[in-house]
């Protein structure tokens, strides 16, 4: 199995925790485990899969925070972690994922704003951040928070003309 490059087990009612053994399969280019019943934290061990181009863990019951160690996935093109129970902020370190084309974090409980470090993600074409608890700027926010909002605006408007960014804040109407 050391030469295995793709795993697709989408929609198979798999349960238990994410298998740490996948981190030893360094030839993997694609892991698709969406639509299962996997639980526990997102494995930071997968950050050792530096050839990985596609990671889809969406539609499970994963919880905890987004691993900053995923910034080591320098070949990653598509990351789908939506529809889980992930909490906490968006990792600043993910600004080093400069090959990333699509990012789906929709339907979690993420907080904070978009880090300024994400301005380097110029190849992104699709970003889904809907249905989280990302905060909107208010009068009481510090300069740091204003900088985070500015990075979000930059991501939404200036990243690339064809980039689809879907962000909605609590109590904000959907964009038309």
């Amino acid at each position: 199995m050391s030469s295995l490059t793709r795993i697709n087990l989408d929609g198979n009612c798999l349960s238990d925790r994410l298998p740490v053994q996948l981190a030893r399969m360094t030839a993997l280019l694609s892991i698709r485990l969406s639509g299962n019943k996997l639980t526990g934290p997102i494995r930071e061990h997968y950050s050792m899969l530096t050839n990985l181009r596609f990671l889809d863990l969406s539609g499970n019951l994963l919880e905890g925070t987004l691993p900053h160690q995923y910034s080591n996935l320098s070949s990653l093109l598509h990351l789908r972690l939506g529809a889980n129970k992930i909490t906490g902020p968006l990792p600043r370190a993910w600004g080093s994922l400069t090959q990333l084309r699509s990012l789906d974090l929709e339907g979690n409980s993420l907080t904070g704003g978009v880090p300024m470090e994400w301005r380097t993600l110029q190849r992104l074409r699709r970003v889904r951040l809907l249905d989280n608890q990302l905060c909107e700027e208010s009068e009481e926010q510090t300069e740091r928070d204003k900088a985070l909002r500015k990075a979000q605006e930059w991501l939404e408007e200036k990243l690339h003309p064809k980039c689809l960014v879907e962000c909605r804040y609590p109590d904000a109407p959907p964009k038309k």
Side-chain angles (χ1 to χ4, degrees), residues 48-119:
M48 296 184 287
L49 299 171
T50 56
N51 294 318
L52 197 62
R53 294 198 170 120
F54 189 95
L55 178 59
D56 187 352
L57 304 175
S58 62
N60 282 288
L61 302 170
L62 301 172
E63 49 194 17
T65 59
L66 296 169
H68 68 89
Q69 294 90 340
Y70 278 21
S71 61
N72 296 331
L73 298 173
S74 57
S75 299
L76 196 62
L77 301 175
H78 306 280
L79 179 58
R80 297 181 183 162
L81 301 173
N84 280 291
K85 297 179 178 183
I86 304 167
T87 59
L90 302 173
R92 293 177 184 271
W94 285 15
S96 66
L97 296 173
T98 57
Q99 300 301 312
L100 201 60
R101 304 279 196 298
S102 67
L103 176 63
D104 178 2
L105 300 173
E106 179 178 12
N108 285 291
S109 294
L110 299 169
T111 57
V114 177
M116 291 289 287
E117 291 81 356
W118 285 26
R119 290 184 299 171

